[in-house]
Amino acid sequence: MIRKLAAALALLWGGGFGVFLLAMPGPLDDRRTDAIVVPTGGAGRIDRGLALLQRHAAKRLLVTGVAPEVRPIELALEYRVPPSLLACCVDLGQEAVDTRSNADETAQWLREHGYRTVRLVTSNWHLPRARLELVHATGDDIIAYGDGVASKPRFLTLVAEYNKLIVRWVALTLGVGA
C-alpha cells in the first residue's frame, strides 16, 4: 500500500513538473497596466521593466528587493537609461529579501499609489510562484499579469522552484503561513 501511494505521488509530482515546464510563461502582450513590478534577482528582468516603462506600458515601475545601498543614479548608469526616467517614474523597494516579502512590498506600494493593474516582470520559471504570492498579498483588489523573461536555469533550479511552488500553494490553500 505504501509503495503504491509513493508511486502515485511520484507520478503526480512528475506530471505536475512536466506541466510546470511546458506552461512556463513568456512575455506578456502589449497591454498597458497601471504599474510594472520587477523583483531583483535574475538577468533581463530590470532591462525588460525599464524598456516597458520607456514604451509607456505603465505609469510607474517598482524594482523590489533592491539592496539598501543602491541609489537611483547607479541604476540609471548600469541600465543606460536617463536619470530623469528614474526620478519621475521608478521607485526602489529596499525592504524585500525574498519572493514573499517582494509580494508584500509590492502590495503596499500598489495600495499607496492606488493602482489596480500590475505587470509582474520576472524570470519565466519564477513567475508562477511570484504571481501566486502577489495575488495572495493583494487579494481581489489588484489584477496581476505575468510577464515572463526567458532564461536558462539549471535543472536543479527548476526542481527547487517547482517544489517551492507546491509547498507554498499547499500552505496558502490550508491557510498555513499566510
Side-chain angles (χ1 to χ4, degrees), residues 10 47 57 86 116:
D47 296 293
L86 273 80
R116 306 278 301 141

Side-chain angles (χ1 to χ4, degrees), residues 7-153:
L9 287 175
L11 282 173
L12 186 61
W13 184 93
F17 185 63
V19 170
F20 173 77
L21 294 175
L22 291 173
M24 218 171 282
L28 185 63
D29 56 26
D30 288 334
R31 81 183 68 201
R32 185 167 159 67
T33 57
D34 294 330
I36 300 167
V37 172
V38 179
T40 59
R45 296 176 184 187
I46 295 174
D47 296 293
R48 175 137 176 90
L50 289 169
L52 287 162
L53 186 63
Q54 288 178 308
R55 291 197 320 253
H56 306 288
K59 300 171 193 170
R60 198 158 190 83
L61 167 70
L62 169 67
V63 182
T64 176
V66 176
E69 64 274 5
V70 174
R71 297 176 324 180
I73 189 66
E74 293 168 332
L75 224 60
L77 293 171
E78 174 76 21
Y79 293 97
R80 296 181 178 97
V81 295
S84 59
L85 179 68
L86 273 80
C88 85
C89 309
V90 178
D91 295 314
L92 304 181
Q94 298 178 316
E95 300 297 320
V97 295
D98 59 15
T99 302
R100 193 169 171 186
S101 57
N102 285 141
D104 292 338
E105 183 172 64
T106 298
Q108 180 180 344
W109 180 82
L110 291 167
R111 282 191 289 274
E112 287 171 2
H113 287 85
Y115 294 148
R116 306 278 301 141
T117 59
V118 62
R119 176 190 298 250
L120 175 61
V121 177
T122 190
S123 303
N124 53 0
W125 54 269
H126 181 246
L127 189 53
R129 186 167 59 95
R131 188 173 178 282
L132 175 73
E133 293 289 1
L134 183 57
V135 168
H136 174 72
T138 58
D140 295 333
D141 298 339
I142 306 293
I143 298 171
Y145 298 102
D147 193 323
V149 175
S151 62
K152 295 180 180 178

